[in-house]
Structures are given as structure tokens and as C-alpha cells.
Amino acid sequence: MKKDIVILGAGYAGMMTSVKLQKKLSVNEANITLVNKHDYHYQSTWLHEVSAGTIDPNQCKIDIKDVVNTNKVNLVIDSVVEINPEEKKVKLENSELSYDILVICLGFQAATFGIPGIEEHAFTVENISTSLLIREHIEYNFAKYQESEEKDQSLLNIVVGGGGFTGVEVVGELANKLPKLCEEYHIDKNLVRIFNIDGSPTVLNGFDPELVEYAMNSLESRGVEFINGSILKEVREDGITYETDGEQFDIPTRTAIWAAGVRANEIVEASGLETNRGKVPVTPEMRAPGHDDIFVVGDCALVMDEETGRPFPPTAQIALQQAPVVAHNVEALVKDGELEPFEANLLGSVASLGHDDAIGVILNGKKIFGWKATVMKKIIDNRYLIKLGGLGLLFKKGKFKIFY
């Protein structure tokens, strides 16, 4: 009897799992269904560029049907509402699916840590829509400032909460974009202020100190103001409050961007599966404990790094390494084959500081920065496109300009 395989989410993990499975299983062996809210996949590692307006949002959107063979994979455009492991069903907004094998790739959502006002007044870099809101909101504020007589400084102050990868990449892209915006709206660029607030003593916590120093110097030279060792206490419509050494300070702003934390999709935690801080502590084969028919991949999976004793970070690199293993193991369940464990192979990481600057650690701990890191960042982006959809997708969506 054919197995019903359901894949939830078309992020990095979901897309790569689907592409691998459509090659491994014939329509006579399994019914494969991919569920996603939209008919497109987007590259979340490019969203900081969409937020700043330095790339067209269509460049980071990939039509699912361009890479997923819908003759082999049934594409359902709908939102997941509930996962019921006991009944082996998934409830969607408009229908319900039964499964024999379930692959959960539902991605992340912003973690607000209960800070007042974030949900109501802060922007997040979660998807294309939220990123476009940031871009349009900043341009609206610049236009409003230029046209108003009061010259409200809060319209030109931008506060980014979080000094991790996302926060740093957002301020880097904004620092490069704002001079052009100032020219368009006839605003003195010295009036625009970009603040980055983080609770750690430095940004990019855990990154090589020499590269962190380079990153901060590069960004500060372009006007970014770092407020480290500080906690964001409240976000309001017209400002934020942060605390340093027990003393509170206010920054008037109409643009607060929250990039300080993510959590696994809350649907997973509500499913009854075993979770640890919202993530499923998967078995070596990437299965949910006690549920041999459920695989969890990407942001929703908790995988421990035995060398450090800490979980692997929820990165695209890890998700893309997990997906082929899960595809193999799903095939093994269908064909009574042998499952294999996931073994991470960290190849390094590169953080963008704007379109013409970056830092990174690659290969055997080799440190790179400046144009070399920028080139490496684009190579990484293009490599994913090749792995997902071949040269055709690369030529259609790839990044070929080194500086622009």
C-alpha cells in the first residue's frame, strides 16, 4: 500500500526535503504532499536586504512549482492549524490531511520574551511581508519628516533590538541604504541615527573577537551606534526604553525593529510532542521521541552538538544538511531500508555588514573580512540555488554583482 507522506512548510528544510524525495520515490510508492502558506519559497537569509530596500523582494522569492515537480508532489496552499500525532492527522485552515509519515519543517517565529509593546509596536524580520513593511515604513517616515514643519527626530531614529546575525545584518544593510534615501528625500544624513541594542557585552556573541571588532568598527564608521550590555524594557509607538546597569533611558523613535530572538513554531509545542523550549529533541535519525513516523527538521528540531554540549544554532546551513538525511530516512521507512543518523558538518559562517562588506569564518577556522567575505557570502547564496534547482534557478535568482 502506498504511504501518505506529508511535509509541513516550504522553508529551506521543507523545500530541500521535497526536492530530494521526489527523486527517491515514485508516484506508485508514495503520495507526497507539501503544505505551505504561500505558493512560493523565500530565502530568509536575504530578508535583511528586503527590509532595507537594497534588493527587490521578488529576487528572494522562488515559485515552488519551479523546483518541485507537482506531478510527483501534491502542493497544498494552506495554513497549518494543528498537528494531531495520536490520530495521525494535520488540521489546516481549509481542510484536513491524514499521514503515514509526517515531516515537520514549520520554521521559526519571533520570540518577544514578554517585553511590553514588541508585538504591538515593533517590526520583525520574519518573512517577505514583514520585511516590506519595514522598508515602506522607513520611507514613509522620511517623507513625513521632509514635509513636516516640526521636524520630529523620532521619524529619523531607527532602533534595532538584537546584536546577533539578523540584527547586525539589518543595521549593516540600513547603513548602506540610508544615504541614498537621505538624498532622495533631501534630508541631512547626519540627522539619521541607527541604534543597535543588545544585552551582551558585544555584538555577534560567540563570534571571533577580531572579526567582531572589525564588524563594529565598520558599522560605526557608517553611523551605527551600539548600546551593548543593555536590556530593552519597553517598545511604544513613539519610542523605546532600555536599561543599562539599573538605569533606564529613552530613545524617541517611530521605527523599532525586533531581531533579538526566535522560537520554534508554536504549533509544534501545542501538538503534544515532547519539546524543550518549544523545540523537539529529535533522535539521531531526526525523529520525534516516541513517534517513529514523525520527522522534525530545521528550526523546530533540537539537535545537540556533542563537542560543545549546546544545541546547534537554527541556521539554514544546518537545515540544508538535515534535509537529505530526512529524505533518505523517509525513503527507508517506505522501502524497509536502513535509517541513518544526522551528523553536522559545520562549514563556517559569514555575516553581511551591508552589500559591500562582511565577516566570516570558513573551512578550518580561516577568518575572512571585507570584499573576500562579501564574495564568499554570495557564493554561499548561489550554491544553495544550484543545490535546490540547478543552473536554471541560479541564472534566474542568483547574485552575480559583487558590489552594487
Side-chain angles (χ1 to χ4, degrees):
M1 181 181 292
K2 290 199 294 185
K3 298 287 187 181
D4 289 320
I5 302 168
V6 176
I7 303 169
L8 303 181
Y12 290 108
M15 285 292 284
M16 193 59 72
T17 302
S18 300
V19 168
K20 294 291 184 182
L21 275 178
Q22 72 186 12
K23 297 175 182 177
K24 291 176 176 292
L25 298 173
S26 71
V27 293
N28 296 320
E29 293 172 312
N31 299 311
I32 305 173
T33 300
L34 173 62
V35 180
N36 197 56
K37 186 182 296 186
H38 307 289
D39 61 359
Y40 59 84
H41 157 73
Y42 62 86
Q43 302 216 60
S44 58
T45 56
W46 296 13
L47 290 179
H48 61 284
E49 298 172 87
V50 177
S51 300
T54 51
I55 65 169
D56 188 292
N58 288 319
Q59 186 173 354
C60 72
K61 287 170 65 174
I62 298 171
D63 288 341
I64 294 175
K65 291 182 179 180
D66 283 351
V67 291
V68 171
N69 184 348
T70 51
N71 291 321
K72 291 187 173 182
V73 178
N74 177 35
L75 178 60
V76 174
I77 309 303
D78 208 339
S79 296
V80 179
V81 175
E82 182 183 350
I83 299 170
N84 189 329
E86 302 306 319
E87 297 183 10
K88 303 184 72 166
K89 291 182 178 179
V90 176
K91 183 179 179 182
L92 310 178
E93 280 190 358
N94 301 298
S95 63
E96 187 175 80
L97 296 172
S98 297
Y99 65 84
D100 295 305
I101 301 172
L102 180 66
V103 183
I104 301 174
C105 318
L106 286 176
F108 70 87
Q109 61 190 71
T112 64
F113 306 114
I115 298 173
I118 286 184
E119 291 186 3
E120 297 84 359
H121 304 300
F123 295 90
T124 56
V125 190
E126 287 188 75
N127 52 52
I128 289 179
S129 297
T130 61
S131 300
L132 274 174
L133 279 174
I134 295 172
R135 166 180 162 180
E136 292 169 358
H137 179 77
I138 290 173
E139 292 200 19
Y140 170 80
N141 283 347
F142 273 51
K144 189 174 181 180
Y145 180 90
Q146 205 278 334
E147 290 297 321
S148 66
E149 294 183 2
E150 295 106 11
K151 304 302 180 188
D152 182 357
Q153 180 61 37
S154 69
L155 295 169
L156 302 184
N157 289 344
I158 300 171
V159 176
V160 178
F165 257 65
T166 301
V168 167
E169 291 193 324
V170 167
V171 296
E173 210 66 31
L174 286 173
N176 277 27
K177 177 67 174 181
L178 289 178
K180 183 178 179 181
L181 280 180
C182 289
E183 184 178 338
E184 288 180 6
Y185 291 98
H186 306 289
I187 294 173
D188 181 355
K189 66 179 182 180
N190 294 315
L191 295 175
V192 180
R193 302 180 70 182
I194 306 173
F195 301 90
N196 181 260
I197 300 175
D198 192 79
S200 298
T202 183
V203 298
L204 298 172
N205 191 28
F207 224 83
D208 182 89
E210 182 183 0
L211 293 177
V212 171
E213 183 179 4
Y214 174 90
M216 294 184 72
N217 288 338
S218 172
L219 294 170
E220 285 174 339
S221 71
R222 285 177 274 149
V224 177
E225 302 176 46
F226 292 101
I227 304 173
N228 294 117
S230 301
I231 301 171
L232 189 65
K233 301 295 290 185
E234 183 185 12
V235 179
R236 300 176 299 280
E237 184 180 3
D238 60 354
I240 64 97
T241 299
Y242 69 92
E243 183 178 294
T244 306
D245 297 329
E247 188 174 356
Q248 294 194 352
F249 304 89
D250 292 332
I251 298 176
T253 181
R254 301 282 175 173
T255 307
I257 303 170
W258 180 244
V262 297
R263 54 157 293 159
N265 194 297
E266 60 187 2
I267 292 172
V268 176
E269 194 168 16
S271 69
L273 295 174
E274 180 184 335
T275 58
N276 183 338
R277 296 186 178 182
K279 295 188 175 190
V280 177
V282 293
T283 68
E285 298 80 19
M286 301 298 299
R287 294 194 280 192
H291 296 274
D292 289 347
D293 54 353
I294 298 178
F295 294 87
V296 187
V297 200
D299 296 327
C300 296
L302 180 67
V303 181
M304 298 300 295
D305 182 349
E306 293 182 0
E307 290 187 9
T308 65
R310 300 174 63 185
F312 285 108
T315 63
Q317 177 182 179
I318 291 292
L320 292 173
Q321 290 183 14
Q322 292 171 346
V325 175
V326 169
H328 168 87
N329 289 343
V330 169
E331 179 192 22
L333 285 187
V334 172
K335 298 180 179 180
D336 294 324
E338 187 174 338
L339 278 68
E340 63 181 33
F342 167 69
E343 294 181 6
N345 178 26
L346 298 181
L347 303 174
S349 57
V350 180
S352 169
L353 306 176
H355 59 73
D356 57 357
D357 201 2
I359 58 170
V361 178
I362 59 172
L363 303 176
N364 296 319
K366 179 178 174 59
K367 293 181 281 190
I368 56 175
F369 54 90
W371 71 268
K372 288 184 179 179
T374 299
V375 172
M376 181 56 67
K377 179 73 171 176
K378 288 177 171 59
I379 289 173
I380 292 169
D381 291 340
N382 289 340
R383 181 171 176 266
Y384 166 66
L385 294 173
I386 292 175
K387 291 180 70 174
L388 183 66
L391 290 175
L393 186 61
L394 172 66
F395 291 136
K396 188 175 182 179
K397 298 290 185 178
K399 292 182 176 180
F400 301 105
K401 294 181 180 178
I402 301 303
F403 304 113
Y404 54 92

